[in-house]
């Protein structure tokens, strides 16, 4: 049940609560009461109370059910481990691993080959290393009591920070359970040298891995944030960025949700050409289950329109799957096209602001439709339709009698229309899409301490070498990858 609670990708909270309350808990209660009643009359059987208390006619059926239950429990624990590791990877607390989705209908059913091999090796080591089942039982008891203790402490934080419960209620709840669990924990401490050390060592190793990975990831992100390319530098390069702009769309992947990454200046300095349309793509995994497809992408423009540079933040929940197909490119470019249309519409409304000559008040008929500016022309919104003709367009340079009231509109040369930009984007899409990845190497400073040097230069570097590359995690097709 504890494993299933951790594995909410397979079962809902309500389903686990119903199963535990109506089935698991009553069975456990009856079984423990039955063992206690049996031991009152057979105190010599305390070491094997469970099997000794089973009536002989149903001994073998119960033995088979208990064996099958142990297998089911182990499978539930393995599945829960997969889910927790996947969520830890999504939150940047564990090295990137391969996640295989085994079901098309249920996104929570996953398989992680690396973790499966690690669990198998650890199980073999524990089984072969311990001499008897007593030591394995001590290891299991230490793990269970430690989990109970940690769960209570985390529950207290949830009650204070998330639920905003009364501090007195939190104190009573935490104090009661800590009193009971600390008694249990103090008892298992005497069995640490008899097998109880195994879960503590395993937990310590994983804690070091997760902490070092998170620390290195945060430091790398902070460096990229501090060394962002300034917009003044980009504007100084001009619309061509000082390079030859070749047809096509370049998707530059970065971990920055805002600003231009430092690696882009490396591209501009060392590459002779770059694509006509450049999109900085930032893939973010949010601490939510899933992100609706219509809210997947956030797009904004970088620099003037003639630069054809955009930023796109692709947002995923920790249960979402970044599929390896053309759907990602299609959805991203379709969202980019929709952004250009919406931007043009907003510009039209903002540019239609009327300026009245000093001493005059704007006079407009109540039935007169509003006007907006597009391509240097005043367009009457109330008269424009899908097949609008030239009659619906009034030049901004027409005589004052042709204008509404005494309004004066100041127009300036406009960049290419959104239709031209959409056509340009489609032509670049047809020319091809290239995925551009940059790698950042992390090193400890020379004046850093020995612990930090070991953590960053050896442990973190080793974890980055053995973990899956970004191109694999992002499912980037190899034939269109520039690394």
């Amino acid at each position: 049940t504890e494993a299933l609670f951790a594995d909410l990708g397979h079962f809902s909270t309500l389903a686990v609560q119903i199963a535990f309350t109506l089935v698991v808990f009553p069975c456990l209660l009856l079984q423990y009461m039955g063992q206690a009643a049996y031991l009152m009359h057979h105190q010599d059987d305390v070491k094997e109370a469970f099997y000794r208390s089973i009536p002989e006619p149903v001994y073998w059926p119960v033995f088979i059910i208990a064996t099958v239950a142990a297998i089911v429990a182990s499978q539930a624990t393995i599945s829960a481990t997969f889910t927790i590791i996947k969520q830890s990877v999504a939150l940047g607390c564990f090295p990137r691993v391969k996640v295989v989705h085994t079901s098309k209908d249920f996104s929570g059913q996953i398989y992680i080959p690396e973790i499966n091999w690690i669990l198998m090796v650890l199980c073999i080591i524990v089984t072969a290393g311990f001499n008897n089942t007593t030591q394995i039982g001590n290891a299991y008891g230490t793990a269970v009591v430690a989990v109970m203790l940690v769960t209570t402490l985390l529950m207290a934080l949830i009650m204070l920070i998330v639920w905003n419960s009364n501090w007195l209620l939190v104190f009573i709840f935490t104090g009661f359970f800590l009193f009971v669990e600390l008694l249990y924990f103090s008892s298992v401490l005497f069995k640490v040298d008899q097998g109880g050390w195994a879960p503590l060592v395993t937990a310590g190793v994983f804690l070091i891995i997760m902490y070092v990975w998170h620390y290195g990831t945060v430091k790398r992100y902070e460096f990229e944030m501090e060394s962002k390319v300034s917009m003044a530098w980009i504007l100084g390069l001009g619309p061509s960025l000082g390079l030859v702009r070749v047809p096509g769309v370049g998707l530059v992947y970065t971990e920055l949700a805002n600003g231009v990454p430092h690696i882009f200046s490396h591209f501009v300095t060392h590459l002779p050409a770059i694509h006509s349309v450049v999109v900085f793509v930032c893939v973010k995994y949010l601490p939510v289950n899933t992100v609706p497809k219509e809210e997947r992408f956030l797009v904004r423009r970088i620099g003037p329109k003639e630069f054809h540079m955009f930023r796109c933040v692709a947002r995923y929940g920790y249960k979402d799957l970044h599929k390896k197909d053309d759907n990602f490119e299609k959805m991203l470019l379709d969202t980019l096209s929709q952004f250009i249309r919406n931007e043009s519409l907003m510009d039209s409304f903002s540019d239609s602001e009327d300026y009245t000559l000093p001493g005059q008040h704007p006079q407009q008929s109540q039935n007169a439709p509003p006007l907006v500016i597009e391509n240097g022309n005043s367009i009457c919104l109330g008269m424009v339709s899908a097949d609008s003709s030239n009659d619906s367009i009034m030049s901004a340079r027409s005589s004052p009698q042709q204008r509404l009231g005494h309004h004066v509109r100041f127009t300036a040369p406009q960049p290419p229309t959104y239709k031209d930009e959409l056509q340009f984007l489609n032509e670049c899409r047809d020319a091809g899409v290239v995925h551009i990845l940059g790698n950042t190497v992390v090193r400890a400073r020379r004046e850093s301490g020995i612990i930090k040097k070991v953590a960053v230069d050896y442990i973190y570097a080793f974890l980055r070498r053995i973990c899956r590359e970004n191109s694999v995690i992002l499912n980037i097709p190899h034939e269109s990858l520039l690394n």
Side-chain angles (χ1 to χ4, degrees):
T1 305
E2 181 182 340
L4 296 182
F5 260 116
D7 191 14
L8 297 182
H10 296 260
F11 299 93
S12 66
T13 306
L14 181 61
V16 177
Q17 289 173 341
I18 293 175
F20 181 80
T21 305
L22 301 182
V23 180
V24 177
F25 183 71
C27 289
L28 289 175
L29 195 62
L30 291 173
Q31 174 58 43
Y32 289 144
M33 292 172 64
Q35 289 187 52
Y38 176 82
L39 288 175
M40 291 176 65
H41 300 281
H42 307 82
Q43 298 180 9
D44 296 336
D45 297 337
V46 64
K47 291 186 176 181
E48 298 180 358
F50 175 73
Y51 287 106
R52 296 278 185 176
S53 63
I54 300 173
E56 187 173 350
V58 294
Y59 177 82
W60 287 109
V62 172
F63 179 83
I64 294 175
I65 292 177
T67 304
V68 174
I71 297 175
V72 173
S74 66
Q75 292 299 312
T77 305
I78 294 172
S79 300
T81 305
F82 292 159
T83 301
I84 292 175
I85 292 296
K86 180 177 183 293
Q87 297 178 4
S88 300
V89 171
L91 297 176
C93 297
F94 199 83
R96 299 182 296 269
V97 292
K98 180 181 181 180
V99 178
V100 179
H101 289 254
T102 58
S103 174
K104 295 181 179 179
D105 301 324
F106 302 97
S107 60
Q109 295 185 9
I110 60 176
Y111 167 71
I112 303 178
E114 295 91 338
I115 301 301
N116 191 60
W117 280 97
I118 292 175
L119 290 175
M120 185 196 73
V121 172
L122 291 178
C123 286
I124 294 176
I125 292 176
V126 169
T127 305
F130 290 143
N131 297 325
N132 51 59
T133 56
T134 302
Q135 292 183 335
I136 296 180
N138 294 337
Y140 176 77
T142 304
V144 170
V145 174
V147 167
M148 292 169 58
L149 187 63
V150 172
T151 303
T152 300
L153 296 176
L154 293 178
M155 190 67 184
L157 292 177
I158 293 293
M159 295 177 69
L160 285 173
I161 300 175
V162 180
W163 296 347
N164 293 323
S165 302
N166 188 290
W167 67 270
L168 183 59
L169 177 63
V170 177
F171 178 78
I172 295 175
F173 169 85
T174 308
F176 173 76
F177 281 97
L178 282 181
F179 174 75
V180 177
E181 291 164 359
L182 286 175
L183 288 177
Y184 282 121
F185 189 71
S186 63
S187 66
V188 299
L189 288 179
F190 292 98
K191 300 179 181 180
V192 170
D193 59 339
Q194 304 173 24
W197 56 268
L200 299 179
V201 171
T202 305
V205 171
F206 276 93
L207 176 63
I208 292 174
I209 292 175
M210 297 178 69
Y211 179 80
V212 170
W213 179 264
H214 182 69
Y215 176 81
T217 303
V218 170
K219 288 299 180 181
R220 181 161 55 92
Y221 182 78
E222 290 177 351
F223 165 77
E224 294 182 356
M225 285 291 294
E226 295 172 356
S227 58
K228 291 188 298 185
V229 178
S230 66
M231 185 57 60
W233 183 79
I234 295 179
L235 295 177
L237 297 176
S240 66
L241 299 177
L243 305 170
V244 178
R245 302 294 291 266
V246 297
V249 179
L251 302 181
V252 182
Y253 287 84
T254 174
E255 296 186 6
L256 300 181
N258 54 74
V260 178
H262 179 71
I263 196 69
F264 183 70
S265 64
H266 190 77
F267 293 152
V268 172
T269 305
H270 294 85
L271 295 180
I274 201 165
H275 300 85
S276 299
V277 176
V278 177
V279 183
F280 295 96
V281 180
C282 176
V283 179
K284 289 293 184 182
Y285 287 91
L286 308 182
V288 296
N289 290 350
T290 182
V291 176
K293 289 185 177 181
E294 58 273 12
E295 301 177 10
R296 177 84 68 213
F297 299 103
L298 298 177
V299 180
R300 64 175 299 179
R301 188 184 294 275
I302 299 178
K305 291 185 177 180
E306 55 269 20
F307 279 60
H308 301 295
M309 295 174 60
F310 303 89
R311 173 183 319 286
C312 176
V313 179
R315 304 181 297 177
Y316 291 86
Y318 52 74
K319 291 183 182 178
D320 290 329
L321 176 61
H322 193 125
K323 295 183 179 179
K324 184 177 183 179
D325 53 19
D326 297 332
N327 191 43
F328 175 77
E329 293 180 6
K330 182 179 182 301
M331 289 179 59
L332 190 151
L333 295 177
D334 288 346
T335 305
L336 189 59
S337 300
Q338 186 61 42
F339 167 78
I340 294 174
R341 295 189 187 95
N342 295 341
E343 183 188 46
S344 175
L345 183 62
M346 296 301 296
D347 289 345
S348 299
F349 280 107
S350 62
D351 292 344
S352 66
E353 187 175 2
D354 296 331
Y355 296 86
T356 306
L357 291 176
Q360 296 178 338
H361 298 281
Q363 299 175 2
Q364 182 171 344
S365 170
Q366 294 181 353
N367 298 325
L371 296 175
V372 297
I373 302 291
E374 180 169 311
N375 302 333
N377 296 325
S378 302
I379 300 180
C380 183
L381 288 181
M383 300 167 62
V384 176
S385 60
D387 57 347
S388 58
S389 62
N390 293 331
D391 295 336
S392 65
I393 300 177
M394 299 183 299
S395 173
R397 298 180 181 178
S398 58
S399 62
Q401 288 78 10
Q402 292 177 298
R403 303 190 188 102
L404 293 175
H406 297 282
H407 288 66
V408 177
R409 288 173 174 78
F410 300 96
T411 62
Q414 298 291 325
T417 66
Y418 78 94
K419 294 182 179 179
D420 296 336
E421 191 169 11
L422 287 177
Q423 182 180 357
F424 180 77
L425 178 62
N426 291 330
E427 292 174 354
C428 292
R429 176 194 292 193
D430 296 336
V433 178
V434 176
H435 302 258
I436 304 174
L437 273 177
N439 295 311
T440 303
V441 180
V442 181
R443 291 282 185 270
R445 300 180 186 273
R446 291 185 177 181
E447 61 271 15
S448 300
I450 184 65
I451 297 179
K452 183 178 292 187
K453 286 184 178 180
V454 171
V456 175
D457 293 345
Y458 294 97
I459 300 179
Y460 180 73
F462 174 75
L463 293 175
R464 288 204 67 183
R465 281 196 300 269
I466 65 174
C467 76
R468 297 175 67 81
E469 297 180 354
N470 279 328
S471 58
V472 179
I473 293 295
L474 300 173
N475 286 321
I476 298 175
H478 181 72
E479 60 274 8
S480 60
L481 171 63
L482 176 62
N483 200 348

